[in-house]
Amino acid sequence: MKRLFAVLAAVAVLVAVPAGAATAAPGGPTQLNAADMLLLNGVRQAGLWEIPAGQMAATRGGSAQVRKVGQMIADQHVELDRLVVDAANKLGATIPATPTTQQQGWLTEMQNNRGRQFDQIFVTRLRNAHGKIFPVIGAVRAATRDPIVRELADQANTFVMNHMKMLESTGLVRYEMLAPAALPAAQDTSGLALARANTGVTPPVEPAILWVVLAAMVALGVGTGIRLYVRTRS
């Protein structure tokens, strides 16, 4: 009977803890989820193309303001890149080493233009990119469980906010062409959704299956207990 109840207790624990939930050893680092990695990768990826873009603007810009903004953004992204690489090293996370194909295309587009045309492409591409990473930073900052990721989000938030203001100071931002704000879908608070949100992966076993297993084990335990009771009384 003791063995039976031990098995039942173990199954109950498996069901009570959401499958795939992030766990951490006492005093150890929190397991990174998909949102944490999205921030690390996004910040790193931004620096890989915005540093050379800013450097190009510093030399190819048609206006003094674009050249000034380009140099400042390039210099500050060097610092932000150092911060994200340092955070990734502390967390043992692997981050990108090259720009995406799309980002490489933007750099090629800039290389093929000069003067006022370059200025417009530079400001448009970078302002759109900063507008996309900005809400990601806020979402991760609000929910991450890792202190290193939280600190990086704070740092990235300051850099990105300043860069948007710098780009807007050129007078070339076409606000009517910016992508509309992406509102989140209605929140799903089911156990399965929470597990996915916490870990960034789909749990390997559906909770309903675990409940069926638990019910079967309880029924087996009750039946065995009744038979043992009858034998001891006879």
Side-chain angles (χ1 to χ4, degrees):
M1 289 294 291
K2 291 182 179 179
R3 292 181 180 178
L4 175 60
F5 286 124
V7 172
L8 292 176
V11 174
V13 170
L14 287 174
V15 175
V17 177
T23 58
T30 304
Q31 179 178 331
L32 298 181
N33 60 28
D36 295 333
M37 287 306 305
L38 181 62
L39 177 66
L40 287 168
N41 290 339
V43 173
R44 170 62 165 170
Q45 208 82 64
L48 291 173
W49 83 275
E50 290 179 25
I51 292 173
Q55 291 169 342
M56 275 194 283
T59 58
R60 297 184 179 219
S63 72
Q65 184 62 13
V66 168
R67 292 193 295 271
K68 177 182 176 182
V69 167
Q71 188 62 62
M72 292 174 67
I73 287 179
D75 292 343
Q76 291 183 17
H77 260 296
V78 169
E79 174 62 16
L80 182 56
D81 191 66
R82 183 189 65 78
L83 293 173
V84 70
V85 170
D86 182 57
N89 288 338
K90 290 178 180 178
L91 295 166
T94 301
I95 54 179
T98 59
T100 65
T101 301
Q102 184 181 50
Q103 291 166 346
Q104 291 171 349
W106 294 337
L107 290 173
T108 299
E109 182 183 24
M110 292 178 198
Q111 288 172 347
N112 293 334
N113 287 276
R114 289 184 179 275
R116 185 171 180 77
Q117 185 67 19
F118 173 93
D119 291 355
Q120 189 62 67
I121 293 171
F122 170 77
V123 172
T124 298
R125 294 302 188 195
L126 269 74
R127 180 58 179 79
N128 287 345
H130 282 80
K132 290 179 180 179
I133 191 66
F134 193 58
V136 174
I137 295 170
V140 174
R141 175 62 180 83
T144 184
R145 301 176 183 182
D146 190 277
I148 296 175
V149 175
R150 193 175 303 119
E151 181 180 14
L152 177 64
D154 287 338
Q155 296 163 336
N157 182 73
T158 300
F159 279 100
V160 173
M161 175 66 81
N162 288 338
H163 292 176
M164 287 195 294
K165 291 179 179 180
M166 291 178 195
L167 293 164
E168 290 161 1
S169 73
T170 65
L172 296 175
V173 174
R174 296 175 176 175
Y175 294 98
E176 71 281 0
M177 297 181 66
L178 294 175
L183 299 178
Q187 185 177 10
D188 184 352
T189 57
S190 68
L192 182 59
L194 291 175
R196 286 173 175 164
N198 288 337
T199 64
V201 296
T202 302
V205 180
E206 293 286 344
I209 296 177
L210 293 178
W211 281 112
V212 171
V213 173
L214 177 60
M217 293 296 293
V218 170
L220 177 61
V222 171
T224 302
I226 292 174
R227 287 196 296 273
L228 290 175
Y229 177 79
V230 172
R231 288 180 183 176
T232 58
R233 297 289 293 178
S234 61

